[in-house]
């Protein structure tokens, strides 16, 4: 790991000295604090790390990419909103999810708040409890997030489905009118950890370990559990956030509002953008557990299993 100061100015000065790589032979990325980022995101991430003041009633969602972030954002938003109708940018309409994508209401802090490239969101104007998201690894979170009473909900996903979801996502962004990027190379890239917000395995394990030490602070959930027991898990998230459901009807309503089929078919998600140039529709695909079986060869499967056995099995994760 680079031993560079993480003050935003120092980071900016030392940007050229950070290790560099090409992601999928198309995008320059650089390594900061042991993880890989787009160079333009390193300074915003460093500003987040050094400037952000967490409040005790904040809820911070966290994830690496393609693990169910959009779903968790939508569900958490509905949970928060049921008690605070004026939360964040929402209006008192029945369902704000029909107006904007979950990424609009639950901004990813480093890329949507501290980045100059995306619309500025004022974090501090609201007195209501804030619901925010980050893709940053646990070790890079601001001290105020780690040390205040704010809560963190982390969503993880099976690495094989994550890699397939990434492959579809980045092909749709980079590969218009082109052949898809070879899947075997995408798997190599994932296993080497040299990809956006990678390495995946370390990202998951850091949050897992912390959630074991501080279960009241960090709730670690798995996409697969959310699929197999949605009512149970959404109720658990709501209780963890201090906003338990009054009855089963409320849980059913939230699950329906946030279902993949519904969100995917809303006009705002079919044709809208939240952070240009990523269309909202690229966040919604199949949402199936085990879709990797339709794509990975036995060799690719074994390649991912091998690294999972080393990195995840010792923690009882994703065997
Ligand atoms: P697939 O590509 O396997 O379909 P992220 O939000 O972290 O980018 O993750 C995207 C993955 O979550 C995609 O998986 C997407 O289809 C799935 N997803 C998005 N919204 C969902 C929802 N409401 N319910 C279930 N899965 C959802």
């Amino acid at each position: 790991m680079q031993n560079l100061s993480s003050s935003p100015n120092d980071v900016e000065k030392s940007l050229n000295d950070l290790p560099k790589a090409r992601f999928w032979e198309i995008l320059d990325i650089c390594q900061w604090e042991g993880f890989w980022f787009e160079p333009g995101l390193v300074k915003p991430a460093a500003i987040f790390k050094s400037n952000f003041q967490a409040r005790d009633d904040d809820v911070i969602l966290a994830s690496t990419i393609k693990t169910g972030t959009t779903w968790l954002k939508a569900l958490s938003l509905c949970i928060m909103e049921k008690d605070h109708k004026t939360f964040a940018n929402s209006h008192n309409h029945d369902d704000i999810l029909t107006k904007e994508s979950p990424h609009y209401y639950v901004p990813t802090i480093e890329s949507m708040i501290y980045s100059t490239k995306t619309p500025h969101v004022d974090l501090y104007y609201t007195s209501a409890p804030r619901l925010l998201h980050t893709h940053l690894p646990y070790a890079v979170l601001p001290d105020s997030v780690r040390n205040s009473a704010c809560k963190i909900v982390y969503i993880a996903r099976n690495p094989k489905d994550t890699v397939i979801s990434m492959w579809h996502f980045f092909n749709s962004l980079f590969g218009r009118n082109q052949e898809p990027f070879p899947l075997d190379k995408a798997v190599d890239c994932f296993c080497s950890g040299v990809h956006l917000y990678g390495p995946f395995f370390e990202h998951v394990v850091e949050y897992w370990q912390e959630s074991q030490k501080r279960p009241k602070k960090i709730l670690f959930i798995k996409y697969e559990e959310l699929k197999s027991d949605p009512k149970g898990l959404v109720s658990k998230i709501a209780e963890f956030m201090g906003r338990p459901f009054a009855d089963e009807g409320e849980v059913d309503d939230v699950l329906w509002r946030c279902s993949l089929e519904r969100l995917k078919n809303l006009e705002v998600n079919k044709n809208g953008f939240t952070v240009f140039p990523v269309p909202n529709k690229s966040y919604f695909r199949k949402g199936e557990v085990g879709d990797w079986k339709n794509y990975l060869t036995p060799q690719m499967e074994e390649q991912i299993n091998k690294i999972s056995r080393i990195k995840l099995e010792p923690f009882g994760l994703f065997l």
Side-chain angles (χ1 to χ4, degrees):
M1 189 186 294
Q2 283 284 110
N3 188 19
L4 292 165
S5 158
S6 57
S7 98
N9 286 337
D10 291 346
V11 165
E12 192 168 34
K13 279 190 222 136
S14 48
L15 213 49
N16 285 337
D17 302 330
L18 296 175
K20 301 208 171 33
R22 292 280 280 171
F23 171 62
W24 279 25
E25 299 165 10
I26 202 161
L27 187 74
D28 287 326
I29 54 175
C30 63
Q31 192 186 35
W32 176 65
E33 303 273 355
F35 288 78
W36 291 92
F37 299 91
E38 279 180 76
L41 261 190
V42 173
K43 191 175 179 199
I47 299 175
F48 170 40
K49 182 175 163 57
S50 60
N51 292 10
F52 180 77
Q53 286 307 315
R55 296 179 188 158
D56 286 344
D57 60 0
D58 284 342
V59 175
I60 314 277
L61 310 179
S63 58
T64 183
I65 52 175
K66 310 322 292 173
T67 59
T69 312
T70 314
W71 195 14
L72 180 63
K73 283 185 177 187
L75 292 167
S76 307
L77 179 68
C78 291
I79 293 169
M80 294 286 272
E81 192 214 5
K82 73 190 177 64
D83 296 335
H84 297 277
K85 292 284 183 195
T86 53
F87 163 73
N89 295 319
S90 73
H91 309 292
N92 284 329
H93 295 174
D94 283 336
D95 190 354
I96 57 173
L97 287 172
T98 61
K99 309 283 182 286
E100 296 284 354
S101 110
H103 295 284
Y104 172 87
Y105 295 114
V106 190
T108 296
I109 307 174
E110 63 279 6
S111 58
M112 291 177 70
I113 291 174
Y114 292 116
S115 167
T116 50
K117 281 195 203 152
T118 48
H120 181 73
V121 181
D122 188 348
L123 260 186
Y124 297 100
Y125 88 99
T126 175
S127 60
R130 299 177 300 184
L131 179 61
L132 301 162
H133 167 261
T134 183
H135 279 312
L136 294 189
Y138 183 77
V140 182
L141 292 183
D143 288 345
S144 73
V145 171
R146 293 192 284 179
N147 301 333
S148 70
C150 79
K151 303 224 172 197
I152 300 174
V153 183
Y154 184 82
I155 186 160
R157 191 179 191 186
N158 185 295
K160 284 177 269 190
D161 282 331
T162 304
V163 85
I164 292 302
S165 189
M166 276 173 75
W167 186 64
H168 283 283
F169 179 75
F170 288 115
N171 275 322
S172 76
L173 293 188
F174 301 154
R176 282 184 205 106
N177 309 321
Q178 283 175 30
E179 286 290 299
F181 187 68
L183 182 55
D184 58 338
K185 287 191 180 179
V187 170
D188 286 346
C189 169
F190 181 79
C191 291
S192 71
V194 186
H195 58 86
L196 288 174
Y197 293 100
F200 167 90
F201 300 93
E202 278 72 6
H203 203 290
V204 174
V205 167
E206 277 187 5
Y207 278 96
W208 170 254
Q209 287 186 299
E210 206 53 37
S211 74
Q212 297 303 290
K213 282 187 221 149
R214 295 199 291 162
K216 289 197 175 129
K217 170 82 181 171
I218 305 185
L219 178 67
F220 183 102
I221 62 167
K222 295 179 187 168
Y223 183 87
E224 292 73 19
E225 289 170 353
L226 204 45
K227 289 287 289 189
S228 63
D229 178 19
K231 279 192 189 184
L233 217 60
V234 168
S235 304
K236 191 171 174 182
I237 297 171
E239 270 166 38
F240 178 78
M241 285 165 53
R243 292 169 172 80
F245 289 107
D247 53 49
E248 211 172 309
E250 270 190 3
V251 189
D252 288 338
D253 179 57
V254 166
L255 286 172
W256 170 75
R257 284 169 66 187
C258 299
S259 68
L260 178 60
E261 276 316 302
R262 176 172 186 265
L263 291 182
K264 192 177 180 166
N265 290 305
L266 292 174
E267 187 56 30
V268 65
N269 294 325
K270 282 202 287 194
N271 294 310
F273 284 86
T274 303
V275 180
F276 196 80
V278 185
N280 291 343
K281 69 176 178 201
S282 61
Y283 291 102
F284 306 94
R285 199 180 63 90
K286 263 191 186 170
E288 278 175 13
V289 175
D291 190 36
W292 62 267
K293 291 181 186 143
N294 298 316
Y295 298 92
L296 297 180
T297 62
Q299 289 82 352
M300 295 173 195
E301 183 192 347
E302 180 47 28
Q303 195 180 346
I304 301 174
N305 283 348
K306 197 172 161 196
I307 185 160
S308 300
R309 281 195 291 268
I310 297 167
K311 305 267 185 176
L312 301 180
E313 196 174 31
F315 303 97
L317 290 165
F318 300 114
L319 298 179

